[in-house]
Amino acid sequence: MDVIEKVLRDVKKRNPHEPEFYQAVEEVLTTLKPVIEKNARYRNIGILERLVEPERQIIFRVPWVDDKGNVNVNRGFRVQFNSAIGPYKGGIRFHPSVYSGIIKFLGFEQIFKNSLSGLPIGGGKGGSDFDPKNKSDGEIMRFCQSFMNELYRHIGADVDIPAGDIGVGKREIGYLFGQYKKLKNGYEAGVFTGKGLTYGGSLVRNEATGYGLIYFVKRMLEENNHSLKNQKIIISGAGNVAIHACEKSIQMGAHVIAMCDSKGYIYDEDGINIETIKRIKEVERKRISEYVKYHENAKYYEGQKNIWNVKCDLALPCATQNDITLDEAKKLVENGVKFIGEGANMPCTNDALKLFLENDILVAPAKAANAGGVSTSALEMSQNSIRLSWTFEEVDTKLKEIMENIFETTSNSAKMYSDKNNYIAGANIAGFIKVAEAMLSQGII
Ligand code: GLU
């Protein structure tokens, strides 16, 4: 049995009932074969064995009082996965589906994503099974304060820097940061990213994941003699990533025809109006079905997954993990999809990705394509360190450069170790090599 098979077997055994974590590890490790075979140094000092085991995992009680006076208890998590190339860095997710398997898969992915960004940030992730939906502002604030009452002792600007993710946006980050500041009695702006612009946030951080995805996809298309202009696009999700991917796609001359939320999808042959989506989702916080009230040619269909029945050139899964399983992938392939751009973390199952590659569909993999968010977080940290703020144009230019560099790195290692169009392998390998080299230099710790 080779080392990869052995590590995979051990991961399954030691992390039972955590299928998402196993899926993420399997996806990476199976693409690393050519590097591990070529490089005995990585085999001899247990790089893979150490890589799949988080450096530290913190699980804690989060008690809070709701508006009726009832005491509620949620579970909080922070997984500090790998600090070989920088302090732990990664978002916090509040969603009822959160448990250790979800946080570990996200933390594991974050190691490679952050490495690919070219910036000095390690991998971590946190969250809670708290559901922010239908909670009052006061309840959200009390929950965030209680969450931080424990988390604060484990984070720091040079230790571990959280940010947002699903269910954690500007409002939550404000409450979390405020409580940290109170507990520490000091203004350590660099301990959190995704902050509001009035207290140390960076311009473009809000748009960065969606914009970065489109900058990456644009380069991938150019490399293969295509352009975004007039491409028919469908986007799953209606959150921060989906909205800004839609906005940038439209700016680039593409035609976004469908978007969805967790209940159903809208189809608009005339092209999605991003201002309407922003108003419904960001201001009114309503369902996407409202869209058809304002656009008479648009139609609403029940069932989020049905969006993948819509014929398109480019599919951008920007909702959550495992959005595209083998069934949805088959539908997309039958309908002639040409490109996939993963905006969410692990939005395609491993068999779905395999099917795309077998059918010569170009896939922009999440770890590379959605790295714009965390990269801009690192730019926010830089600004906090020098106590200056850059303009929108300055940050956007840097983001564009970072995404283009990530594409070059990904594409070069795909050419060197795999097939030139296998950007999945390219991203995993490039992300891995930097971390492995740093681990190698730092001894067995
Ligand atoms: N949650 C985002 C991600 O998945 C951003 C993390 C960050 O900015 O630290 O990459």
Side-chain angles (χ1 to χ4, degrees):
M1 190 189 293
D2 72 12
V3 61
I4 292 180
E5 280 172 41
K6 184 185 163 302
V7 172
L8 282 175
R9 194 199 54 195
D10 288 351
V11 168
K12 194 170 241 170
K13 213 164 105 198
R14 299 179 81 187
N15 304 275
H17 318 301
E18 294 183 355
E20 297 86 358
F21 177 53
Y22 182 76
Q23 180 186 337
V25 173
E26 184 186 43
E27 193 265 327
V28 173
L29 262 51
T30 49
T31 59
L32 296 182
K33 223 179 171 92
V35 194
I36 302 296
E37 273 169 7
K38 253 189 208 164
N39 214 320
R41 295 184 310 155
Y42 299 153
R43 289 196 299 273
N44 297 341
I45 56 154
I47 293 278
L48 293 182
E49 291 83 344
R50 287 190 283 146
L51 202 55
V52 298
E53 190 64 27
E55 288 176 20
R56 189 177 295 108
Q57 303 185 58
I58 303 140
I59 303 181
F60 51 99
R61 177 170 73 201
V62 190
W64 57 281
V65 181
D66 65 26
D67 288 346
K68 294 193 188 99
N70 300 319
V71 174
N72 296 263
V73 177
N74 282 96
R75 190 170 284 178
F77 300 88
R78 187 71 185 169
V79 174
Q80 299 178 330
F81 225 117
N82 192 297
S83 63
I85 63 170
Y88 311 108
K89 177 85 195 88
I92 287 181
R93 176 177 293 192
F94 290 165
H95 192 270
S97 66
V98 163
Y99 76 106
S100 55
I102 294 282
I103 300 302
K104 275 159 71 182
F105 113 66
L106 289 163
F108 184 73
E109 298 262 302
Q110 203 82 41
I111 304 169
F112 305 93
K113 185 195 305 199
N114 294 4
S115 166
L116 277 170
S117 75
L119 301 160
I121 39 180
K125 203 84 184 192
S128 174
D129 55 1
F130 172 74
D131 187 358
K133 272 210 184 94
N134 304 320
K135 299 288 189 299
S136 72
D137 206 41
E139 289 173 327
I140 300 273
M141 181 182 73
R142 291 193 294 279
F143 177 81
C144 289
Q145 290 174 338
S146 177
F147 187 85
M148 189 51 83
N149 283 345
E150 175 58 37
L151 187 69
Y152 88 98
R153 66 187 97 243
H154 308 289
I155 61 176
D158 293 316
V159 180
D160 182 355
I161 305 99
D165 195 84
I166 293 171
V168 178
K170 232 185 236 126
R171 173 178 58 168
E172 291 74 18
I173 291 172
Y175 294 144
L176 289 163
F177 179 72
Q179 186 70 0
Y180 179 85
K181 184 162 62 78
K182 187 173 171 67
L183 292 166
K184 292 300 293 279
N185 187 32
Y187 205 104
E188 302 168 25
V191 72
F192 231 98
T193 62
K195 299 181 294 296
L197 296 174
T198 52
Y199 63 96
S202 172
L203 286 159
V204 194
R205 178 61 190 88
N206 187 39
E207 294 82 359
T209 313
Y211 279 19
L213 170 67
I214 302 307
Y215 295 150
F216 185 96
V217 168
K218 177 176 180 283
R219 276 294 296 118
M220 178 176 85
L221 264 60
E222 282 166 3
E223 186 78 3
N224 293 278
N225 303 315
H226 293 279
S227 94
L228 271 167
K229 210 163 171 49
N230 297 326
Q231 299 286 354
K232 280 203 167 152
I233 303 182
I234 56 179
I235 302 179
S236 71
N240 175 279
V241 183
I243 285 175
H244 296 104
C246 179
E247 184 170 73
K248 190 48 82 179
S249 300
I250 296 168
Q251 284 173 18
M252 299 264 186
H255 204 56
V256 182
I257 49 171
M259 275 180 97
C260 68
D261 63 14
S262 58
K263 291 272 180 286
Y265 76 91
I266 48 159
Y267 176 79
D268 190 346
E269 186 66 56
D270 300 338
I272 298 283
N273 183 309
I274 189 63
E275 294 313 319
T276 311
I277 296 281
K278 279 188 177 177
R279 195 177 63 241
I280 295 168
K281 283 289 163 187
E282 292 179 340
V283 183
E284 297 167 4
R285 293 180 188 255
K286 286 192 179 152
R287 305 247 58 122
I288 205 161
S289 50
E290 295 284 304
Y291 183 92
V292 298
K293 289 189 187 159
Y294 308 101
H295 301 277
E296 54 180 30
N297 290 336
K299 291 192 173 63
Y300 173 73
Y301 301 91
E302 285 290 330
Q304 179 249 322
K305 288 260 181 182
N306 293 331
I307 192 171
W308 305 119
N309 292 327
V310 177
K311 197 172 154 48
C312 67
D313 304 306
L314 166 59
L316 299 176
C318 296
T320 191
Q321 66 273 358
N322 294 334
D323 193 359
I324 299 183
T325 67
L326 189 58
D327 285 344
E328 286 82 42
K330 280 182 185 158
K331 279 184 238 158
L332 284 160
V333 173
E334 272 164 35
N335 282 334
V337 73
K338 297 201 235 28
F339 320 103
I340 308 287
E342 295 188 314
N345 290 314
M346 205 169 74
C348 302
T349 57
N350 293 347
D351 47 8
L353 290 174
K354 191 161 165 271
L355 186 80
F356 291 139
L357 291 182
E358 284 164 1
N359 285 276
D360 294 323
I361 290 152
L362 295 177
V363 179
K367 292 181 208 81
N370 79 18
V374 75
S375 301
T376 309
S377 278
L379 299 177
E380 180 173 335
M381 290 158 65
S382 302
Q383 292 168 81
N384 294 149
S385 294
I386 57 172
R387 295 169 194 269
L388 289 173
S389 302
W390 298 326
T391 64
F392 191 96
E393 288 67 32
E394 279 174 294
V395 183
D396 194 35
T397 305
K398 286 184 174 39
L399 169 63
K400 213 174 287 170
E401 272 170 25
I402 290 168
M403 296 316 294
E404 287 173 2
N405 285 338
I406 295 176
F407 179 78
E408 288 332 307
T409 314
T410 299
S411 163
N412 288 341
S413 71
K415 281 180 204 145
M416 198 179 304
Y417 290 100
S418 176
D419 150 39
K420 86 176 202 355
N421 286 338
N422 189 345
Y423 300 116
I424 302 171
N428 289 341
I429 291 169
F432 167 78
I433 289 175
K434 182 177 175 189
V435 175
E437 285 300 325
M439 288 173 76
L440 210 89
S441 309
Q442 292 170 23
I444 297 172
I445 49 168

